[in-house]
Amino acid sequence: MPQVKIRASDAIFSKCVRESANNICERCGADYNGRPGLQCCHFETRRNWSVRFDPENVFSFCFGCHSLLDGSPHTFTKFYKKKRGVIMYNALVRRMNNIMLGKKARKEEKEITKWYKMVYETMLQIRASGGIDKIEIPPYKLSID
């Protein structure tokens, strides 16, 4: 299957995800502060625009954890439910299946990019002032009329 193109919106969203976790793998706890290798891992693939930029659809993982969980949907689902809970999982599944959200996200990609640039800058300011370990990512609000 061909790779999904990494857009500017993906790149800045990925930075937010890794910064949110303080550059630590959310599965094994490996610390990547000051070194490359940490990745933004989508629970539901980036091909699904309904949740492509949804903070509840992503984790910050090292290459090994990303490979392990991407290769085992059952294990990833168990991990997700344990980490975030069944209620959040069910809500995410509802959004994953809402094609109108995906259409809206495609139309608003430039605004999404601007939003996550602002979020990332804010996160860096929080870190610079001695911010907490985990910083929640405020989601871009997609609404369908």
Side-chain angles (χ1 to χ4, degrees), residues 102-140:
K103 289 180 180 183
K104 185 86 166 169
R106 285 180 183 271
K107 286 181 186 175
E108 295 183 17
E109 185 180 7
K110 286 183 182 176
E111 290 80 13
I112 290 169
T113 304
K114 288 178 193 173
W115 171 258
Y116 285 115
K117 281 181 181 177
M118 182 201 64
V119 167
Y120 183 65
E121 290 301 319
T122 302
M123 294 170 106
L124 291 178
Q125 291 172 3
I126 291 169
R127 288 276 181 243
S129 66
I132 56 176
D133 288 337
K134 175 78 173 168
I135 301 173
E136 295 301 320
I137 304 170
Y140 179 84

Side-chain angles (χ1 to χ4, degrees), residues 81-111:
K81 289 178 179 179
K82 183 177 180 183
K83 181 92 171 170
R84 301 215 171 130
V86 175
I87 292 172
M88 192 174 286
Y89 171 80
N90 290 336
L92 178 66
V93 170
R94 281 192 297 278
R95 290 191 304 279
M96 285 168 29
N97 293 321
N98 186 333
I99 60 170
M100 296 309 292
L101 284 177
K103 289 180 180 183
K104 185 86 166 169
R106 285 180 183 271
K107 286 181 186 175
E108 295 183 17
E109 185 180 7
K110 286 183 182 176
E111 290 80 13

